[in-house]
Amino acid sequence: MEKYAPLNPPERILLGPGPSNVDDSVMKALSKPVVGHLDPVFLAIMEEVQEMLRHVFMTKNHLTIPVSGTGSAGMEAALVNAIEEGDHVLVCISGVFGQRMSDIVKRCGGVLKTVETQWGTPIDPEQVRSALAEFPASVVAIVHAETSTGVLQPLEDISRIVHERDALLLVDTVTSLGGAPLKIDEWEIDICYSGTQKCLSCPPGLAPITFGQRAIDKLNRRSSPVQSWYLDMTMVQKYWGPDRVYHHTAPISMIYALREALRLVVEEGLAARWERHRVHHNSLVKGLETMGLKLLVDPAYRTPMLNSVVIPPGVDDTAVRKRLLEEYNTEIGSGLGPLKGKIWRIGLMGHSCTEENVNHILSALKSLI
Ligand SMILES: *Cc1c(COP(=O)(O)O)cnc(C)c1O
């Protein structure tokens, strides 16, 4: 076999829909010595990670852990544990990730109903209310920050409606966690999952997840085993609990990285971090609008960490993104599904969310379009 050159990826400026840039201290954490997954030193690290996850999720939920796998593994873990064959599940779809949830619901035998809205607009709580009036859902699933459109979905009214019907509220916060206010206990979210590579600015590979008491009660009442062995929380929680019953080997180095990324979030403070995302989002929007560019989403529903910019007529989507990467070493995202070729997605997530990056992308776009 030929010899391969040593690995040497470039240091990009990551302003897409994730991954975001990773702080040096998180990269250093990844290279620390690997210990055994039942080593007392590692067990203490697991506990610290759980404590810090509860803090960033703003919850007291005991069952709060990082699932081994990316955000989509978190999505799958949330759904397969919440759903038994024949359960009625309402999924709110306003973009790619709502669609992905409905796909998983069907695969695990749920009876699916969807409420949908035009991509780029939020779900109206009244849609949920009228859907639940005729469909006895035990779970309602929704995306908080829909990364394919840039909509931040208000959750409090929907939470109230869902609980009036005694259903569980299951929320995707892969993009919002660590970048916008998210209050699991206060908003009574029953099951919530996230990912590491968006506003937590850790490499991709883990999916923080949290289950409230109502969700655990439903899990304990199941008459059939969870459809996925790997993601079965009834077994995984015994590994993360006091008994440390072996289930699968924790991805040691990724847990180190997450611990360091969470430490940085705690050090900055949640409120300060949300504010940083808000401030830089505002200045990016101002700069884009000064250039005559328009955003897809109504100002009241914009996610601060993901900005959907309407591509002006006559501008070549692919060419601009190619030149950004080659000449400015910078990644932004393209549109997905019906928005392909219609929008760019500029991410300002976690460590990538800086004034310097806002100025950089504005001046790069000015020279390219
Ligand atoms: C990125 C993302 C996911 C999927 O996460 P992966 O890490 O790509 O598996 C799910 N939901 C939302 C809202 C996302 O932005």
Side-chain angles (χ1 to χ4, degrees):
M1 197 174 192
E2 274 179 57
K3 285 207 175 117
Y4 290 94
L7 185 67
N8 191 23
E11 258 188 63
R12 302 285 195 208
I13 299 167
L14 296 174
L15 302 179
S20 55
N21 285 118
V22 178
D23 193 279
D24 284 343
S25 70
V26 175
M27 294 310 292
K28 284 200 187 108
L30 271 173
S31 65
K32 298 283 182 200
V34 171
V35 297
H37 77 119
L38 295 174
D39 189 307
V41 172
F42 186 68
L43 298 182
I45 291 170
M46 287 169 82
E47 255 170 49
E48 290 168 344
V49 166
Q50 287 188 282
E51 253 170 50
M52 287 193 279
L53 281 180
R54 289 186 194 107
H55 177 76
V56 299
F57 270 132
M58 299 188 70
T59 184
K60 294 195 170 65
N61 289 346
H62 184 71
L63 182 48
T64 304
I65 62 160
V67 171
S68 306
T70 65
S72 306
M75 182 188 289
E76 190 134 24
L79 290 167
V80 295
N81 283 278
I83 301 170
E84 275 192 273
E85 202 171 337
D87 279 354
H88 286 56
V89 182
L90 182 71
V91 178
C92 302
I93 302 182
S94 57
V96 164
F97 296 103
Q99 280 179 338
R100 189 172 296 181
M101 292 204 277
S102 60
D103 187 1
I104 298 175
V105 169
K106 284 186 271 183
R107 285 166 192 248
C108 52
V111 179
L112 174 70
K113 183 179 172 72
T114 61
V115 294
E116 308 200 16
T117 182
Q118 196 191 337
W119 289 31
T121 63
I123 300 284
D124 178 351
E126 290 311 313
Q127 287 176 276
V128 177
R129 189 193 301 282
S130 51
L132 289 179
E134 53 194 49
F135 183 75
S138 54
V139 178
V140 176
I142 192 164
V143 178
H144 187 212
E146 181 47 84
T147 323
S148 59
T149 63
V151 168
L152 187 69
Q153 173 71 50
L155 291 171
E156 287 167 274
D157 287 347
I158 290 179
S159 175
R160 215 172 336 97
I161 292 165
V162 167
H163 292 120
E164 278 164 14
R165 293 274 170 182
D166 281 330
L168 298 179
L169 179 62
L170 186 160
V171 182
D172 175 322
T173 63
V174 175
T175 284
S176 51
L177 183 68
L182 168 66
K183 303 174 179 182
I184 298 299
D185 288 358
E186 198 180 311
W187 298 351
E188 296 193 57
I189 297 171
D190 298 296
I191 303 176
C192 181
Y193 62 89
S194 188
T196 47
Q197 77 273 27
K198 314 241 171 151
C199 289
L200 297 180
S201 275
C202 184
L206 291 172
I209 199 167
T210 185
F211 289 78
Q213 194 55 48
R214 278 189 292 248
I216 291 172
D217 291 345
K218 183 170 191 314
L219 190 57
N220 290 338
R221 281 196 312 268
R222 288 183 69 106
S223 53
S224 59
V226 173
Q227 172 239 24
S228 161
W229 182 89
Y230 194 73
L231 300 173
D232 182 345
M233 285 301 138
T234 63
M235 295 196 289
V236 174
Q237 71 173 332
K238 289 186 189 143
Y239 176 49
W240 283 85
D243 296 342
R244 303 289 177 191
V245 181
Y246 168 67
H247 177 257
H248 68 273
T249 310
I252 308 288
S253 308
M254 273 309 301
I255 303 261
Y256 292 168
L258 178 59
R259 184 194 178 281
E260 179 59 14
L262 290 169
R263 193 188 68 79
L264 295 178
V265 175
V266 171
E267 191 174 78
E268 179 174 7
L270 279 176
R273 201 170 173 95
W274 299 336
E275 179 64 8
R276 173 162 62 82
H277 283 81
R278 200 184 63 82
V279 164
H280 298 315
H281 158 74
N282 284 342
S283 56
L284 176 69
V285 170
K286 211 165 141 213
L288 292 167
E289 287 177 345
T290 307
M291 288 167 61
L293 292 168
K294 291 195 169 58
L295 275 88
L296 176 74
V297 178
D298 186 277
Y301 298 108
R302 287 176 188 159
T303 59
M305 69 289 289
L306 196 283
N307 302 274
S308 295
V309 185
V310 178
I311 301 173
V315 172
D316 184 338
D317 169 24
T318 317
V320 169
R321 282 185 293 107
K322 184 163 184 274
R323 288 188 65 191
L324 270 175
L325 194 67
E326 288 172 0
E327 296 167 32
Y328 294 85
N329 196 31
T330 301
E331 177 181 276
I332 64 168
S334 60
L336 300 175
L339 296 173
K340 190 171 164 46
K342 299 211 170 93
I343 58 164
W344 289 314
R345 293 180 300 148
I346 304 177
L348 291 173
M349 298 182 177
H351 195 58
S352 294
C353 181
T354 64
E355 187 183 339
E356 197 189 345
N357 282 343
V358 170
N359 295 334
H360 167 74
I361 191 64
L362 287 172
S363 69
L365 283 175
K366 248 180 230 154
S367 67
L368 290 176
I369 63 176

